[in-house]
Amino acid sequence: MAKSPETELPLKAFGWAARDTSGTLSPFHFSRRENGDDDVSVKILYCGVCHSDLHTLKNDWGFTTYPVVPGHEIVGVVTKVGINVKKFRVGDNVGVGVIVESCQTCENCNQDLEQYCPKLVFTYNSPYKGTRTHGGYSDFVVVHQRYVVQFPDNLPLDAGAPLLRAGITVYSPMKYYGMTEPGKHLGVAGLGGLGHVAIKFGKAFGLKVTVISTSPNKETEAIDKLGADSFLVSKDPEKMKAAMGTMDYIIDTISAAHSLMPLLGLLKLNGKLVTVGLPSKPLELSVFPLVAGRKLIGGSNFGGLKETQEMLDFCGKHNITADIELIRMDEINTAMERLHKADVKYRFVIDVANSLSSL
Ligand code: NAP
């Protein structure tokens, strides 16, 4: 097992890391900082497997530094709090999402939009005070209290973990872009981790929801289990033609490069298309349908801490969680291969505490 160079940090941690662009994960010893006055230490119980983890493992975006321990859908229990921490107590169930630090002084941080802070530090794969951050495929994490959220009492911890990224990433743009008007028609492009939670938010907001998918085998479940109203196979030109001009909003969660043109065609006049997927290659776009239909294209990056807490409370109220496949840590490489093939219903979650300790 490899050792991390970050030997100056006092706490010994254990997780699974990738060492190169093969993305293969294996056991890894590293170090974390001591719990400071404003910090919360969290024993990690569950961690969701986001497609962003896979992009990072494979260095799809070109900024991975190896070794990297992924994981930013963390749910765990508080084991220690600093002297300045009043909001959390030992024994609380909490969540840690995509970021663990921001400047706390810029315009964006002051508006609770830490996800747009130019100095934000990601939960993993970020430089941090001469070391690197490592994520939730590990036994514990030490996080400044600002970047920790309370986990709702009534939600299961494992199925709730994906809300920390998949959930907030679709909730935030739906709220910001006004995609919540009851009775309006939402298209959800890509039925994976983000997409399936988007269906649930759409229904909770009172929308009509249509899934736009490349996988016909997901249709029955999308409607019967996830609550979508209809299902459109994007590779079926006849059905796509028939659905043109019928949608008010589309949230695009597709992880691979694709053309935006068919999606724009599905929108009505004044329709909004928000992209949250992060393919490494540019998407094809002509401005003609935008101009001719006064359509809008936007993007969105997960959510700030205040909104993440709001989203979790909303999920607690509406009983929204992810549909998950719970896996052991040593099943992660197979899970990544399946995620690459869009073969997951609909989020892998690692049973971290129960499977890391037994290795
Ligand atoms: P996921 O579970 O793998 O789902 C992605 C879905 O995209 C697949 O299930 C598949 O749905 C569809 N898809 C895959 N390849 C495709 C292709 N070649 N053409 C058309 N559709 C394809 O991934 P995820 O975790 O939901 O993440 C989705 C994307 O969002 C990733 O790029 C991820 O990095 C990004 N992301 C962004 C943020 C943010 O803050 N903006 C946050 C989290 C994730 P169908 O089988 O239904 O076609």
Side-chain angles (χ1 to χ4, degrees):
M1 290 178 203
K3 296 257 178 204
S4 158
E6 293 139 22
T7 46
E8 70 276 19
L9 298 176
L11 302 182
K12 300 298 158 214
F14 177 55
W16 277 43
R19 310 323 201 276
D20 54 44
T21 55
S22 72
T24 304
L25 290 148
S26 57
F28 178 63
H29 289 277
F30 61 105
S31 306
R32 292 203 187 273
R33 70 171 187 265
E34 187 56 88
N35 197 85
D37 289 349
D38 284 293
D39 286 340
V40 176
S41 290
V42 180
K43 176 184 170 167
I44 298 171
L45 299 177
Y46 300 102
C47 187
V49 178
C50 181
H51 205 111
S52 299
D53 301 348
L54 181 55
H55 286 308
T56 304
L57 293 179
K58 299 275 187 188
N59 198 20
D60 285 351
W61 299 324
F63 55 78
T64 303
T65 300
Y66 298 96
V68 61
V69 178
H72 51 207
E73 293 183 345
I74 298 169
V75 170
V77 61
V78 174
T79 54
K80 197 168 184 180
V81 294
I83 196 164
N84 296 335
V85 176
K86 306 286 176 238
K87 232 169 71 182
F88 302 100
R89 285 180 305 183
V90 170
D92 283 357
N93 290 328
V94 294
V96 177
V98 184
I99 59 171
V100 289
E101 180 103 26
S102 62
C103 77
Q104 304 188 21
T105 56
C106 72
E107 202 179 338
N108 299 341
C109 283
N110 285 336
Q111 294 178 80
D112 297 304
L113 295 169
E114 298 93 342
Q115 75 272 34
Y116 301 111
C117 172
K119 294 185 179 161
L120 70 78
V121 176
F122 290 108
T123 303
Y124 65 83
N125 194 38
S126 268
Y128 181 72
K129 295 183 181 167
T131 66
R132 306 281 310 170
T133 56
H134 288 306
Y137 297 11
S138 64
D139 49 3
F140 73 98
V141 68
V142 181
V143 185
H144 186 286
Q145 59 176 326
R146 177 169 177 150
Y147 308 96
V148 179
V149 285
Q150 289 282 6
F151 195 81
D153 287 337
N154 64 320
L155 294 184
L157 302 177
D158 51 359
L163 300 172
L164 272 305
R165 185 153 206 209
I168 186 61
T169 298
V170 293
Y171 179 89
S172 182
M174 289 174 83
K175 294 295 290 271
Y176 177 75
Y177 287 102
M179 298 159 71
T180 56
E181 203 181 321
K184 296 282 188 185
H185 187 182
L186 169 73
V188 175
L191 185 49
L194 270 56
H196 92 288
V197 185
I199 297 175
K200 298 183 185 196
F201 283 129
K203 292 316 296 175
F205 290 134
L207 307 176
K208 175 185 173 188
V209 179
T210 295
V211 174
I212 307 152
S213 171
T214 59
S215 307
N217 64 331
K218 294 180 181 173
E219 174 164 4
T220 307
E221 261 193 25
I223 292 172
D224 294 349
K225 199 162 172 232
L226 301 174
D229 297 285
S230 54
F231 193 93
L232 194 52
V233 178
S234 54
K235 290 172 178 163
D236 182 333
E238 287 306 308
K239 296 250 170 66
M240 287 293 282
K241 199 170 162 199
M244 278 181 76
T246 60
M247 297 180 190
D248 299 285
Y249 329 122
I250 293 176
I251 187 152
D252 180 354
T253 75
I254 296 170
S255 54
H258 58 286
S259 173
L260 292 178
M261 304 302 287
L263 297 180
L264 285 172
L266 296 172
L267 287 173
K268 293 178 184 170
L269 179 70
N270 300 330
K272 299 171 191 174
L273 168 63
V274 176
T275 60
V276 290
L278 290 166
S280 52
K281 298 208 172 72
L283 307 187
E284 186 193 330
L285 169 69
S286 155
V287 295
F288 280 86
L290 291 182
V291 172
R294 202 163 62 177
K295 295 174 187 175
L296 182 91
I297 297 184
S300 186
N301 202 18
F302 52 100
L305 274 300
K306 187 174 172 209
E307 194 176 40
T308 302
Q309 187 66 63
E310 173 193 311
M311 178 273 310
L312 281 177
D313 295 343
F314 181 88
C315 290
K317 193 168 160 206
H318 294 269
N319 221 8
I320 293 174
T321 54
D323 286 41
I324 65 164
E325 293 189 42
L326 192 64
I327 58 166
R328 295 171 46 83
M329 191 71 242
D330 57 6
E331 293 171 321
I332 186 64
N333 291 312
T334 308
M336 287 296 180
E337 280 167 28
R338 286 186 49 202
L339 184 61
H340 178 66
K341 292 187 274 188
D343 173 25
V344 50
K345 289 182 175 173
Y346 287 87
R347 196 58 139 194
F348 291 113
V349 171
I350 308 167
D351 189 356
V352 176
N354 287 320
S355 57
L356 249 191
S357 56
S358 61
L359 290 169

